[in-house]
Amino acid sequence: MGQRTQAAAGCLTTALGAGAGLTVWAAGARGRFRRFEAAPDWSVLYAELPLAVLGGAAAALAAWALLRRLRPRR
């Protein structure tokens, strides 16, 4: 696998991981954002959202690196 292909695969993996993190976060964001008879909880946007996106990207890159390490060399 060439360097350009590896770089493209890494970037694609990061984007897919960030998208997966965003999807997982968005599944329950409405319930966490609106509390019963309370003001909106803005920490859901400035704390949880970036952590979910970065966590998804980091998990995807870790899985990609593990698969690259386990794959036999040519």
Side-chain angles (χ1 to χ4, degrees), residues 19-54:
L22 180 63
T23 302
V24 168
W25 174 83
R30 178 176 281 194
R32 290 188 312 265
F33 184 68
R34 287 280 181 202
R35 302 287 182 190
F36 180 71
E37 291 186 4
D41 185 12
W42 294 104
S43 69
V44 171
L45 293 178
Y46 68 80
E48 291 181 15
L49 176 60
L51 287 175
V53 172
L54 290 175

Side-chain angles (χ1 to χ4, degrees), residues 1-3 5-7 9-10 13 60-74:
M1 186 180 294
Q3 287 183 338
T5 307
Q6 287 179 358
T13 301
L61 283 176
W64 183 67
L66 180 66
L67 289 174
R68 293 277 303 151
R69 182 171 278 273
L70 294 176
R71 188 173 156 206
R73 305 252 178 199
R74 292 182 196 175

